[in-house]
Amino acid sequence: MTKILFTKAIHQDLLDSFLTDKVKVICKPTLSIELTEANSIFNQIDFTTNQYIVTSQNTVNAIQTLDLDGHFFVVGKKTAEKLEAQNRNVILVEDYAKDLAPKLVSGKYKTNWNFLCGSTRRDLLVDELEKHQQTVNQIITYQSSQIVYQLDEIFDVYVFFSPLSFKAFHQKNKIPTSSRIFTIGNTTTAAVQEVYPNYPITTAETPLVEVVLQNIKEYINDKK
């Protein structure tokens, strides 16, 4: 039986859609998310611009009760879908911040932005915009904190969903050379490779949980 560790909670229905009962699945999150109070977010918004950058589904959850009339520029297809479900006007969607940044700079948009982000957001977007004399109003919509634990068992498959999540895991755990690593995207893979440069890592071509699960399914089937 293949033993799989997911370092975030995955809905059981989603697991059942891709994995059989012949695998053992443990979901043990390495991050805790606390949403910022909605009124606090609202009070920090620059209403002289109607442009919002969103890079996480956590932000979508944090602003769900807020009436924000404007244009949304998004990292992540699932994040965009959730914003559209809130009747937000999504203008641009890219899989990664590095792909969104040049389009924000080169597009015919206003030069000031509301960036609705997490407490551990990467610098890339802000640096790129400010380098082109654009103003970024950063609003923390959620706090991410690491959950550090030590595992007593070994897994055949280890699955990571963000660099911060992997770093929390790595504080007290090591991955055996016989195990396979799966990640949701390039930035997470880069963080893992800093520690395990010679390990086989399967990176989702599109940063979606469903793609990660499909990759794991194919890996297990190939082992048979």
Side-chain angles (χ1 to χ4, degrees):
M1 178 176 286
T2 302
K3 296 195 297 182
I4 306 172
L5 175 73
F6 289 92
T7 52
K8 70 175 286 185
I10 308 293
H11 198 282
Q12 188 61 49
D13 289 346
L14 201 52
L15 292 172
D16 291 343
S17 297
F18 289 89
L19 304 176
T20 70
D21 56 4
K22 293 179 178 163
V23 301
K24 177 183 177 181
V25 172
I26 300 293
C27 294
K28 199 167 176 60
T30 49
L31 288 181
S32 174
I33 305 298
E34 182 179 351
L35 302 182
T36 304
E37 202 255 335
N39 283 342
S40 176
I41 297 172
F42 190 81
N43 291 337
Q44 296 176 67
I45 290 173
D46 175 10
F47 287 103
T48 65
T49 182
N50 63 345
Q51 297 183 153
Y52 300 90
I53 300 171
V54 176
T55 60
S56 169
Q57 295 179 52
N58 295 317
T59 289
V60 184
N61 295 334
I63 66 170
Q64 62 183 327
T65 62
L66 297 181
D67 183 13
L68 302 179
D69 183 21
H71 300 153
F72 286 77
F73 302 79
V74 185
V75 174
K77 291 181 176 66
K78 286 290 185 183
T79 303
E81 288 175 8
K82 288 192 171 186
L83 284 167
E84 288 170 340
Q86 294 178 356
N87 296 316
R88 315 286 188 187
N89 185 15
V90 175
I91 303 297
L92 270 178
V93 185
E94 295 292 341
D95 287 333
Y96 294 99
K98 69 178 179 60
D99 299 318
L100 181 65
K103 293 190 175 181
L104 298 182
V105 170
S106 63
K108 295 181 179 179
Y109 308 118
K110 295 178 182 178
T111 58
N112 53 330
W113 305 85
N114 288 299
F115 185 12
L116 308 177
C117 58
S119 58
T120 59
R121 66 116 181 100
R122 296 175 64 225
D123 295 332
L124 188 152
L125 267 172
V126 174
D127 288 352
E128 191 66 18
L129 289 167
E130 290 183 343
K131 186 169 72 177
H132 289 84
Q133 290 74 52
Q134 304 209 15
T135 303
V136 184
N137 176 39
Q138 299 178 68
I139 303 167
I140 303 300
T141 57
Y142 64 95
Q143 301 278 342
S144 300
S145 56
Q146 294 180 326
I147 302 172
V148 177
Y149 53 75
Q150 187 166 4
L151 295 170
D152 295 325
E153 61 180 315
I154 299 299
F155 291 84
D156 303 295
V157 171
Y158 293 80
V159 193
F160 301 102
F161 296 90
S162 77
L164 186 65
S165 174
F166 168 73
K167 289 172 184 176
F169 173 86
H170 178 60
Q171 288 186 44
K172 291 194 174 181
N173 300 281
K174 293 190 180 300
I175 299 174
T177 55
S178 59
S179 298
R180 188 64 174 254
I181 301 170
F182 289 80
T183 76
I184 199 166
N186 296 333
T187 53
T188 305
T189 292
V192 176
Q193 285 176 328
E194 289 180 7
V195 180
Y196 299 106
N198 300 316
Y199 278 48
I201 303 172
T202 301
T203 307
E205 290 187 7
T206 303
L208 295 169
V209 173
E210 290 86 346
V211 178
V212 175
L213 289 169
Q214 180 62 33
N215 287 343
I216 296 170
K217 178 182 178 180
E218 291 173 2
Y219 168 71
I220 293 171
N221 289 341
D222 288 345
K223 286 175 60 181
K224 292 178 180 178

